[in-house]
């Protein structure tokens, strides 16, 4: 029995390890931005975060002085500034557009229902249908990768997986205008998740100088071409998207750190923080401009800030029990939400979406009609409630004028001083509905029947809507669901505790935090976001309490929604912790059983083409031989580099002998930027390269283009250590080699500590005594002919001939 369990564990670990992107796995994105499928036109591949220290790279580094390094640093901060400004402006445009469409829709509907409710219902359904149709049409016909929230895809990108199409210009356009249509059309989804994707697209486009396909590019911005630099820019864009969506700059930084990135450093944190601060300034400036009445309907209401600073002042120890219950409810409902969306989305993609774009459009339109019928029809079934006594100091008007922000909505009421509590939530924008649920000093505004009805119906609508071919975020729907049952618990506490200082809005806030924690499984960043958008620091311990409880309960059933959706889409994420079973597997056992495909140092062009056509490997070991004939692994050459070399043809040679770029007077004709693949695109393919019969008979020396120092591990290293090394270093390839026969040296911490000195001849001095001695005797040792040269220099300087 124990052996069976161990064998099952080993098989599970091998399955997890197989999720690491490699050459054999060519998984691809369907036309709705969903499941990654094989044998399709657009695919996913790993990113090269590792520095390829080939000869071109070393030449560039040797030519760079302090002035150029300072210039690069200034440009990075300038890009952070541009990302913040552009993302903030995009968020302002989306919010103003959504709020104006929604405000115009509600204003027209309210005016028509004064004469006929049937005509008002028809107009309301048609307006929502037109907006949703525009959204789904843009996504299905123009930007398939813009469907969904985009956060799982961006998380995969920052984890090391590039899904083709997710950061293109058309994806950005589809995300912006698709979000306006889907959210303005009243669907049970939000615009905050798509804003994260929008910020990432803006950052990526700025980093590559714009879009070459649409002739919107500038060579002045084409400074950072490596995947490492683009990763930093996309991280800034993700944080900017959260900061713009919630007006939570600190929350945006923590969201990027906790949820989407798998690699972090202090320099990047400063730039991310700066970007989020710029976004906050841009959004705040726009809010001040909108408050003057220049933004039309609901102009200032769309920027999320649910201020409850005038709410409950304090809490008692007895209230901790119902608050803990809110955390348990949030964990259960969040886990159930993740599971239901997973099942429905799987069924939808396996059966419904295979029938083409027309079915996706019809599906989204049917969901729109269903949502409109429920949001308009259910409030008609509720009886109106007399308005409470108005307090002039509160600024709350009952009922509110049609088309204006307020708590109390007069919907299908026979008297002027009545309101419909269910319409206050349903027949309203999501931002205003949440603001109503969070509001203080509004005890008895909602009945428990209305809240329960809204909870059940909106929960079902959110499950059904998630997965349709429109840009869809889950932050705001999650807040609405959580604040509804939180307010229900608050009503119970107010009724049975009978304390005057208890506010139902406080429990609505805790409910929102609990559902988001139970669904998304975020803790620190979500806690800070909730504090920033509510402007109330007093409830920080309570928010922490419900988040910890809801996350613990949710983790007992399944993973977070982003991890579940990433798995559904086939994105091979490497999680923060390896599986326990990996401890019993070695690196050699995890390697594939097939033979490793390698190149000799000097290889015939026809052989290169044949190997590239016969497999999908992205990295190839390069083998040379010593003077005694023993094989020697001299480095790793990438498929993308080989394709660039084949396309340019400038490095072809007639002789099968190794070249000597220094001694022969021939310099490297490529810089490191030429080998960079355009982001979220296919790059060069072997079928696109045309070679003549004479070209195929020529040779290429791979030594100047390979990475001479790839990461290696011994064959008996546990898979757990390999996993941690692979993820923390952001690797794409890792050599597994036999255990070395001898040790050349040992590096400790003090060997890595470098101090600046005033000695011009020796500007850098290592603290290690052994290294000091090495520096002092460097001139003597270099005269010794028996001393081994560095591998790359030895390959390029010495003209080796075959034995």
């Amino acid at each position: 029995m124990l052996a069976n369990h161990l064998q099952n564990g080993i098989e599970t670990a091998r399955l997890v390890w197989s999720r690491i992107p490699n050459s054999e796995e060519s998984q691809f994105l369907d036309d709705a931005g969903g499941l990654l499928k094989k044998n399709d036109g657009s695919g996913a591949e790993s990113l090269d975060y590792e520095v390829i220290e080939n000869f071109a790279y070393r030449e560039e580094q040797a030519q760079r002085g302090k002035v150029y390094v300072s210039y690069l640093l200034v440009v990075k901060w300038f890009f952070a500034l541009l990302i913040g400004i552009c993302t903030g402006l995009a968020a302002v445009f989306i919010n103003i557009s959504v709020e104006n469409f929604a405000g115009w829709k509600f204003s027209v509907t309210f005016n028509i229902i004064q004469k006929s409710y049937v005509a008002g219902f028809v107009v309301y359904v048609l307006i929502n249908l037109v907006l949703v149709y525009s959204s789904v049409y843009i996504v299905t016909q123009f930007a398939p990768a813009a469907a969904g929230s985009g956060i799982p895809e961006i998380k995969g990108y920052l984890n090391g997986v590039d899904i083709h199409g997710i950061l293109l210009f058309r994806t950005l356009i589809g995300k912006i205008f698709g979000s306006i249509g889907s959210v303005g059309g009243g669907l049970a989804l939000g615009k905050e998740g798509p804003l994260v994707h929008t910020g990432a697209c803006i950052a990526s486009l700025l980093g590559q100088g714009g879009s070459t396909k649409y002739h919107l590019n500038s060579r002045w911005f084409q400074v950072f071409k490596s995947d490492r630099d683009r990763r930093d820019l996309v991280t800034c864009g993700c944080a900017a998207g959260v900061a713009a969506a919630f007006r939570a700059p600190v929350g945006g930084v923590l969201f990027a750190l906790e949820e989407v990135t798998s690699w972090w450093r202090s320099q990047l944190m400063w730039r991310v923080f700066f970007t989020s601060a710029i976004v906050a300034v841009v959004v705040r400036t726009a809010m001040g401009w909108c408050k003057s009445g220049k933004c039309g309907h609901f102009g200032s209401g769309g920027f999320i800030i649910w201020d409850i600073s005038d709410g409950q002042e304090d809490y008692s120890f007895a209230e901790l029990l119902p608050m803990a219950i809110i955390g348990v409810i949030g964990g259960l409902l969040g886990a159930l939400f993740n599971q239901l969306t997973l099942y429905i989305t799987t069924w939808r993609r396996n059966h419904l979406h295979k029938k083409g774009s027309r079915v996706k459009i019809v599906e989204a339109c049917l969901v729109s009609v269903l949502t409109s019928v429920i949001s308009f029809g259910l409030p008609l079934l509720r009886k109106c409630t007399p308005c409470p006594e108005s307090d002039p100091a509160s600024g709350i008007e009952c009922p509110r004028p049609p088309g204006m922000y307020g708590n109390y909505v007069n919907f299908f009421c026979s008297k002027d001083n009545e309101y419909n509590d269910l319409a206050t939530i349903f027949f309203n924008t999501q931002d205003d509905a949440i603001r109503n649920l969070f509001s203080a000093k509004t005890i008895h505004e909602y009945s428990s029947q209305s809240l329960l009805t809204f909870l059940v119906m909106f929960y079902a609508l959110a499950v059904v809507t998630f997965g349709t071919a429109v840009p869809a975020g889950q932050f705001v729907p999650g807040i609405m669901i959580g604040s509804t049952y939180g307010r229900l618990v608050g009503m119970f506490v107010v009724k049975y505790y009978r304390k005057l200082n208890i506010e139902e809005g406080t429990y609505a806030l805790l409910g929102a935090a609990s559902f988001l924690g139970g669904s998304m499984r975020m803790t620190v960043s979500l806690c800070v976001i909730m504090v920033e958008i509510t402007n109330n620091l007093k409830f920080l311990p309570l928010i922490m309490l419900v988040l910890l409880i809801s996350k613990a309960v949710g983790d007992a059933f399944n993973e977070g929604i982003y991890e579940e959706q990433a798995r559904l889409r086939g994105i091979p994420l490497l999680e923060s912790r390896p599986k326990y079973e990996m401890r019993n597997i070695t690196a050699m056992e995890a390697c594939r059983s097939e033979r490793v495909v390698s190149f000799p140092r000097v290889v015939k062009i026809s052989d290169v083409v044949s190997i590239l056509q016969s497999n999908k490997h992205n990295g190839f070991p390069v083998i040379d031989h010593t003077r005694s004939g023993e094989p020697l692994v001299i480095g790793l050459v990438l498929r993308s580099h080989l394709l660039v070399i084949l396309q340019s043809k400038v490095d072809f040679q007639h002789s099968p002998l190794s070249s000597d770029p220094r001694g022969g007077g021939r310099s490297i004709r490529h810089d490191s930027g030429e080998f960079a693949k355009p982001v979220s695109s296919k790059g060069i393919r072997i079928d696109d390269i045309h070679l003549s019969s004479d070209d195929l008979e020529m040779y290429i020396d791979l030594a100047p283009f390979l990475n001479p120092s790839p990461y290696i591990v011994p064959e008996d290293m546990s898979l757990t250590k390999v996993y941690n090394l692979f993820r923390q270093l952001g690797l794409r390839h890792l050599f597994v080699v036999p255990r070395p026969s001898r040790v050349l040296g040992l590096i400790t911490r003090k060997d890595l500590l470098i101090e600046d000195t005033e000695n011009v001849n020796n500007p850098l001095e290592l603290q290690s005594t052994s290294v000091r001695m090495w520096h002092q005797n460097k001139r003597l040792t270099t005269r010794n002919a028996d001393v081994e040269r560095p591998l790359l220099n030895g390959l390029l300087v010495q003209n080796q001939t075959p034995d």
Side-chain angles (χ1 to χ4, degrees):
M1 183 66 69
L2 180 61
N4 292 336
H5 283 294
L6 181 60
Q7 182 65 26
N8 292 335
I10 293 176
E11 294 298 328
T12 302
R14 286 178 175 169
L15 179 62
V16 173
W17 178 253
S18 66
R19 291 172 57 196
I20 296 178
N22 52 51
S23 54
E24 285 76 29
E25 296 174 340
S26 180
Q27 298 174 307
F28 298 98
L29 186 70
D30 69 0
D31 58 348
L35 287 174
L36 294 175
K37 300 179 180 180
K38 295 184 178 180
N39 302 324
D40 197 40
S42 59
E45 64 173 296
S46 296
L47 294 165
D48 293 303
Y49 288 155
E50 181 184 355
V51 177
I52 308 299
E53 296 180 339
N54 55 23
F55 185 65
Y57 171 82
R58 293 194 177 189
E59 275 195 340
E60 285 188 5
Q61 295 299 313
Q63 295 174 0
R64 291 181 177 181
K66 291 185 177 180
V67 176
Y68 188 78
V69 173
S70 301
Y71 165 74
L72 290 180
L73 182 62
V74 172
V75 172
K76 289 181 180 180
W77 284 94
F78 177 68
F79 270 54
L81 174 67
L82 288 181
I83 293 171
I85 294 175
C86 294
T87 306
L89 292 177
V92 170
F93 175 74
I94 293 174
N95 277 284
I96 292 179
S97 300
V98 168
E99 293 299 314
N100 274 278
F101 276 121
W104 175 75
K105 173 182 65 178
F106 288 126
S107 179
V108 170
T109 305
F110 268 113
N111 290 332
I112 295 178
I113 63 177
Q114 304 300 324
K115 302 176 182 178
S116 171
Y117 272 92
V118 176
F121 169 73
V122 173
V123 170
Y124 179 74
V125 172
L126 288 178
I127 294 176
N128 284 336
L129 187 60
V130 169
L131 290 173
V132 173
Y133 176 81
S134 65
S135 175
V136 68
Y137 185 84
I138 290 173
V139 170
T140 55
Q141 305 299 323
F142 179 68
S149 69
I151 293 181
E153 289 81 3
I154 299 302
K155 185 173 182 178
Y157 182 88
L158 296 177
N159 194 259
V161 183
D162 186 13
I163 302 172
H164 297 160
I166 64 170
L167 295 175
L168 299 180
F169 179 74
R170 67 172 180 266
T171 303
L172 172 63
I173 299 300
K175 211 72 177 184
I176 292 176
F177 290 96
S179 298
I180 294 173
S182 60
V183 179
L187 294 182
L189 45 83
K191 55 185 177 294
E192 287 66 33
L195 267 175
V196 176
H197 194 178
T198 299
C201 289
I202 291 174
S204 177
L205 290 171
L206 287 175
Q208 61 181 339
S211 173
T212 56
K213 181 178 181 180
Y214 298 99
H215 305 288
L216 299 172
N217 60 326
S218 173
R219 295 183 61 183
W220 294 97
F221 289 95
Q222 297 176 2
V223 180
F224 304 109
K225 298 182 180 181
S226 68
D227 290 336
R228 291 169 62 89
D229 294 328
R230 290 170 180 168
R231 173 183 62 184
D232 293 349
L233 294 176
V234 171
T235 303
C236 292
C238 291
V242 176
F246 296 103
R247 287 185 58 200
V250 179
V253 176
L254 294 177
F255 176 84
L257 172 61
E258 178 184 7
E259 186 61 24
V260 294
T261 61
S262 57
W263 192 85
W264 197 262
R265 65 182 189 277
S266 58
Q267 298 94 328
L268 178 60
M269 176 176 287
W270 278 108
R271 290 202 297 274
V272 171
F273 187 80
F274 174 71
T275 305
S276 300
I278 295 299
V279 172
V281 172
V282 172
V283 173
R284 187 175 184 85
T285 304
M287 287 186 63
W289 182 64
C290 287
K291 286 180 180 178
S292 61
K294 299 179 181 179
C295 296
H297 286 285
F298 289 89
S300 62
F303 299 105
I304 297 176
I305 182 73
W306 301 301
D307 194 336
I308 60 170
S309 56
D310 59 344
Q312 185 172 331
E313 293 291 337
D314 201 359
Y315 52 90
S316 62
F317 182 79
E319 292 181 69
L320 294 181
L321 178 60
M323 292 175 181
I325 293 176
I326 289 179
V328 175
I329 296 174
L332 294 175
L333 291 182
L336 178 62
F337 181 85
N338 294 354
Q339 204 64 37
L340 291 177
T341 54
L342 182 64
Y343 288 151
I344 294 178
T345 306
T346 303
W347 173 84
R348 175 185 282 126
R349 296 177 189 275
N350 290 339
H351 298 88
L352 200 61
H353 286 181
K354 285 185 175 181
K355 300 180 180 180
S357 300
R358 183 176 300 178
V359 174
K360 299 171 188 176
I361 295 176
V362 173
E363 178 201 21
C365 292
L366 289 177
V367 173
S368 173
V369 172
L370 177 64
T371 304
S372 300
V373 170
I374 291 176
S375 60
F376 193 98
L378 283 182
L380 298 178
L381 304 179
R382 289 290 304 166
K383 293 182 179 180
C384 293
T385 305
C387 290
E389 296 182 3
S390 60
D391 183 8
S394 64
I396 297 177
E397 185 179 0
C398 181
R400 72 176 172 96
M404 299 296 293
Y405 160 71
N407 283 69
Y408 303 94
V409 177
N410 186 308
F411 187 80
F412 200 61
C413 297
S414 58
K415 298 180 181 180
D416 293 337
N417 61 340
E418 292 181 337
Y419 73 98
N420 190 317
D421 60 343
L422 192 55
T424 301
I425 316 175
F426 256 128
F427 204 72
N428 215 332
T429 62
Q430 293 180 359
D431 295 346
D432 288 341
I434 296 172
R435 193 175 284 110
N436 297 340
L437 291 169
F438 281 3
S439 61
K441 301 179 177 59
T442 55
I443 298 178
H444 308 307
E445 178 181 356
Y446 303 98
S447 65
S448 57
Q449 295 85 355
S450 295
L451 290 176
L452 190 58
T453 301
F454 176 80
L455 175 62
V456 174
M457 297 307 301
F458 192 82
Y459 191 96
L461 285 175
V463 170
V464 173
T465 307
F466 191 84
T468 53
V470 295
Q474 285 303 308
F475 272 101
V476 169
I479 292 175
M480 290 192 69
I481 293 171
S483 58
T484 304
Y485 67 75
R487 186 137 188 150
L488 279 169
V489 175
M491 293 173 63
F492 169 82
V493 175
V494 170
K495 181 177 180 180
Y496 289 98
Y497 279 57
R498 298 180 180 179
K499 292 185 178 181
L500 298 178
N501 65 332
I502 297 179
E503 289 284 354
E504 298 174 2
T506 300
Y507 287 83
L509 166 65
L510 298 179
S514 69
F515 185 83
L516 292 178
S519 176
M520 300 179 181
R521 312 294 161 77
M522 296 187 298
T523 52
V524 179
S525 58
L526 184 57
C527 182
V528 174
I529 289 174
M530 296 303 295
V531 170
E532 288 187 282
I533 64 178
T534 55
N535 195 24
N536 196 327
L537 195 60
K538 300 175 184 177
F539 302 124
L540 178 60
L542 302 181
I543 296 176
M544 295 172 65
L545 173 66
V546 297
L547 281 175
L548 290 173
I549 295 176
S550 62
K551 184 181 186 304
V553 173
D555 286 338
F557 296 94
N558 51 33
E559 293 185 274
I561 187 170
Y562 297 138
E563 287 76 14
E564 294 284 0
Q565 293 299 319
R567 182 176 293 108
L568 175 64
R569 287 165 168 78
I571 302 174
L573 289 181
L574 295 182
E575 302 298 337
S576 58
R577 284 190 311 175
K579 298 296 182 182
Y580 179 82
E581 293 81 3
M582 289 185 176
R583 299 182 180 184
N584 302 317
I585 306 176
T586 64
M588 186 61 187
E589 293 173 343
C591 293
R592 296 184 177 273
S593 58
E594 60 188 44
R595 185 179 63 88
V596 177
V597 180
S598 60
F599 283 111
R601 173 182 170 174
V602 182
V603 59
K604 196 173 183 180
I605 301 299
S606 58
D607 295 336
V608 176
V609 174
S610 175
I611 291 177
L612 294 181
Q613 289 177 340
S614 62
N615 63 77
K616 299 296 182 181
H617 294 305
N618 290 300
F620 302 90
V622 179
I623 310 297
D624 199 5
H625 292 82
T626 62
R627 296 184 183 275
S628 60
E630 296 180 0
L632 177 67
V633 179
I634 61 175
L636 173 75
V637 64
L638 297 180
R639 182 188 192 92
S640 58
H641 290 193
L642 291 173
L643 293 175
V644 172
I645 297 170
L646 292 178
Q647 188 179 54
S648 65
K649 303 181 183 180
V650 297
D651 296 288
F652 292 179
Q653 61 186 41
H654 295 281
S655 171
L657 302 179
S658 58
S659 61
D660 181 10
R662 292 184 180 179
R666 183 172 64 88
S667 61
I668 300 299
R669 298 181 175 90
H670 302 277
D671 56 43
S672 58
E674 295 181 43
F675 298 108
K677 181 179 70 69
V679 65
S680 293
S681 65
K682 302 174 185 177
I684 306 174
R685 294 182 299 180
I686 185 62
D687 298 333
D688 301 331
I689 300 175
H690 302 284
L691 297 171
S692 65
S693 56
D694 294 335
D695 293 333
L696 295 176
E697 296 299 321
M698 301 184 73
Y699 296 85
I700 182 79
D701 185 3
L702 300 179
F705 310 102
L706 56 83
N707 180 9
S709 54
Y711 289 94
I712 62 175
V713 295
E715 58 183 342
D716 55 351
M717 177 182 286
S718 71
L719 195 56
T720 299
K721 295 181 68 175
V722 174
Y723 186 99
N724 291 328
L725 181 68
F726 201 97
R727 185 182 188 276
Q728 292 173 8
L729 295 178
L731 301 181
R732 185 177 186 178
H733 305 95
L734 191 64
F735 280 1
V736 178
V737 300
R739 180 163 290 280
S741 58
R742 63 192 181 100
V743 178
L744 297 180
L746 187 66
I747 295 179
T748 62
R749 181 182 297 270
K750 65 179 182 179
D751 297 321
L752 302 176
L753 299 177
I754 298 178
E755 292 182 345
D756 293 331
T757 63
E758 297 180 358
N759 189 351
V760 178
N761 297 325
N762 188 16
L764 294 180
E765 183 178 5
L766 300 184
Q767 291 186 359
S768 172
T769 306
S770 61
V771 180
R772 288 179 183 175
M773 295 294 294
W774 183 84
H775 272 284
Q776 295 171 3
N777 299 326
K778 181 178 180 181
R779 183 174 302 177
L780 296 176
T781 56
T782 51
R783 295 177 181 174
N784 190 344
D786 296 332
V787 174
E788 297 182 2
R789 296 175 178 267
L791 179 59
L792 183 60
N793 294 338
L795 289 174
L796 295 177
V797 174
Q798 295 177 356
N799 220 350
Q800 298 180 358
T801 57
D803 293 336

